Amino acid sequence: MDTIIVDNIPYEMKKLSQWVVRQGKMPLNPKTMYSESVRQYALVNDSSTWSDIDTAIYCCQKYALDGIGFVFASGQPYVGIDLDTCFDPVSKQFSDSAQAIIDMLDSYTEFSPSMYGVHIIVRCRSEITLPFNKMPMKENGIMRYDSNHKRKVPEIEIYNEKRYFTVTGNVVNSHISIEDRSDALDELLARYANCKRKTERTLHSNMEMPRTFQLTPSLSSELSDNELLAKAYASKNGYLFRNLYSGNKSGFKSHSEADQTLCNMLAFWCGGDVFQMDRLFRQSGLYRKKWDELHGEMTYGERTIYNAVSSAHSFYDPNFRRERE
């Protein structure tokens, strides 16, 4: 469980009911943790699955969860900047580029749970449009590896909606208050948006797929995310679905094989809705940064979803199990 220094969390965040709990990377609804039968995943686009901070902290402690998180909601002035693999816990030094960003924004800054990165939260005009969400940063020599023994590279991620940040209250130096940094944020965005690097491609914007995949744009799910998960869990293959969705890869030869199996199941329950499949997979315990890596003309995630939908024989329908034509 993360060490949470509640007193250091800015009051303006604590007074908002935009808090979730988490197990691994999976956000959970604090308000339904009290009952095994109705526990729900927290959805970053559904405020009914969020709670006040007191409820989140209580559930985190009572159920020995990994930590709490704050959801960025549309129409609010808050922007979160995530600098990953930028701090060396041994030398206790930031990379030069990360230190420059921290100094420039000069707002609430805390260490991430891993201690290899930081989260910065600034206040800005609510109408801001982000030109990107994730970009690579300059190599800094910090050696860090993920669970698959793959080296993690420095990255910057910026969000102001439909995303949650873990919150620890483990502040960096004296950066304890959220400040209005509209001008500094504009400068930061311009600096990285002008870099000639490949930006993250996701299924949520300008998805490019082979023509055979584009023949299915009308397919859409008739279930909300929570309804879908509930039905999938209660199905005859519910045990397998639940294990995969929680990130349990036991019984599979590789992480990729587990990814494909979960996507195959999601293809059925999502009715072939590729956008809902992508959204739900990103919230699963199997999600990793490889999902957005470009493999040929597609990202790994796009290819996995394409394989699942193109090979599906049927999709879920509330009234009839229709066969694909």
Side-chain angles (χ1 to χ4, degrees):
M1 175 178 167
D2 298 342
T3 298
I4 304 169
I5 308 175
V6 180
D7 289 345
N8 287 345
I9 301 174
Y11 174 72
E12 60 187 281
M13 290 173 62
K14 289 194 285 189
K15 70 180 182 180
L16 299 172
S17 293
Q18 293 170 212
W19 295 89
V20 297
V21 291
R22 69 179 184 87
Q23 190 68 37
K25 294 183 178 180
M26 182 65 60
L28 303 170
N29 181 349
K31 294 181 292 188
T32 61
M33 287 301 297
Y34 303 101
S35 172
E36 288 280 358
S37 61
V38 296
R39 288 184 179 177
Q40 296 176 324
Y41 292 103
L43 305 177
V44 292
N45 60 350
D46 184 354
S47 60
S48 69
T49 63
W50 315 336
S51 77
D52 59 271
I53 190 171
D54 290 337
T55 300
I57 291 174
Y58 174 77
C59 287
C60 186
Q61 295 172 339
K62 180 177 176 62
Y63 299 104
L65 302 175
D66 289 336
I68 62 174
F70 178 81
V71 181
F72 292 92
S74 302
Q76 290 188 338
Y78 301 109
V79 179
I81 300 93
D82 180 359
L83 305 181
D84 194 22
T85 315
C86 69
F87 181 76
D88 187 338
V90 178
S91 67
K92 301 193 182 302
Q93 296 292 318
F94 285 102
S95 66
D96 291 342
S97 55
Q99 188 64 66
I101 293 173
I102 293 170
D103 293 342
M104 179 174 68
L105 295 177
D106 190 21
S107 188
Y108 179 77
T109 306
E110 65 168 36
F111 286 104
S112 62
S114 71
M115 289 296 293
Y116 278 94
V118 295
H119 292 160
I120 305 171
I121 298 177
V122 302
R123 204 180 305 108
C124 187
R125 44 189 177 273
S126 59
E127 69 272 20
I128 187 172
T129 299
L130 299 177
F132 68 92
N133 289 122
K134 180 190 294 187
M135 291 284 283
M137 295 180 70
K138 182 179 179 181
E139 179 57 62
N140 55 33
I142 296 175
M143 305 300 290
R144 181 190 177 198
Y145 298 87
D146 62 19
S147 58
N148 295 310
H149 307 292
K150 182 178 180 180
R151 187 177 175 188
K152 297 176 72 67
V153 299
E155 290 180 319
I156 178 172
E157 299 183 57
I158 305 180
Y159 301 94
N160 64 345
E161 63 176 351
K162 298 179 181 179
R163 186 76 172 196
Y164 88 97
F165 271 12
T166 59
V167 176
T168 62
N170 184 9
V171 298
V172 176
N173 298 329
S174 59
H175 300 286
I176 60 174
S177 61
I178 301 176
E179 304 293 343
D180 188 327
R181 294 291 183 251
S182 298
D183 292 339
L185 185 60
D186 284 343
E187 180 182 342
L188 178 67
L189 292 173
R191 179 186 304 176
Y192 279 90
N194 289 335
C195 289
K196 294 182 180 179
R197 293 169 175 158
K198 293 179 180 178
T199 55
E200 176 186 27
R201 297 170 60 217
T202 73
L203 291 170
H204 296 289
S205 60
N206 300 322
M207 178 176 60
E208 297 178 1
M209 285 289 185
R211 181 169 178 79
T212 52
F213 192 82
Q214 294 176 350
L215 291 176
T216 63
S218 62
L219 294 176
S220 61
S221 173
E222 299 183 33
L223 299 175
S224 69
D225 290 354
N226 279 332
E227 289 173 336
L228 185 152
L229 291 174
K231 286 184 177 294
Y233 286 166
S235 69
K236 65 179 181 180
N237 293 321
Y239 180 77
L240 175 60
F241 185 95
R242 183 186 293 272
N243 274 354
L244 288 169
Y245 206 76
S246 68
N248 186 343
K249 305 182 294 295
S250 60
F252 291 88
K253 295 179 181 179
S254 67
H255 196 142
S256 295
E257 185 180 43
D259 292 343
Q260 190 64 67
T261 302
L262 177 58
C263 275
N264 292 347
M265 300 177 83
L266 284 173
F268 171 77
W269 289 108
C270 292
D273 185 332
V274 296
F275 299 101
Q276 188 176 36
M277 290 172 66
D278 178 64
R279 183 173 65 248
L280 287 171
F281 190 93
R282 289 174 182 277
Q283 297 176 32
S284 79
L286 291 180
Y287 174 71
R288 49 186 167 150
K289 289 186 177 179
K290 180 179 179 180
W291 189 253
D292 297 305
E293 291 179 359
L294 201 57
H295 289 209
E297 295 182 352
M298 298 187 201
T299 63
Y300 170 78
E302 288 171 347
R303 175 66 67 183
T304 305
I305 288 178
Y306 167 67
N307 289 340
V309 174
S310 62
S311 64
H313 297 293
S314 62
F315 298 121
Y316 173 80
D317 183 275
N319 303 309
F320 179 73
R321 195 179 195 185
R322 62 179 180 272
E323 295 292 324
R324 282 186 77 193
E325 299 181 352

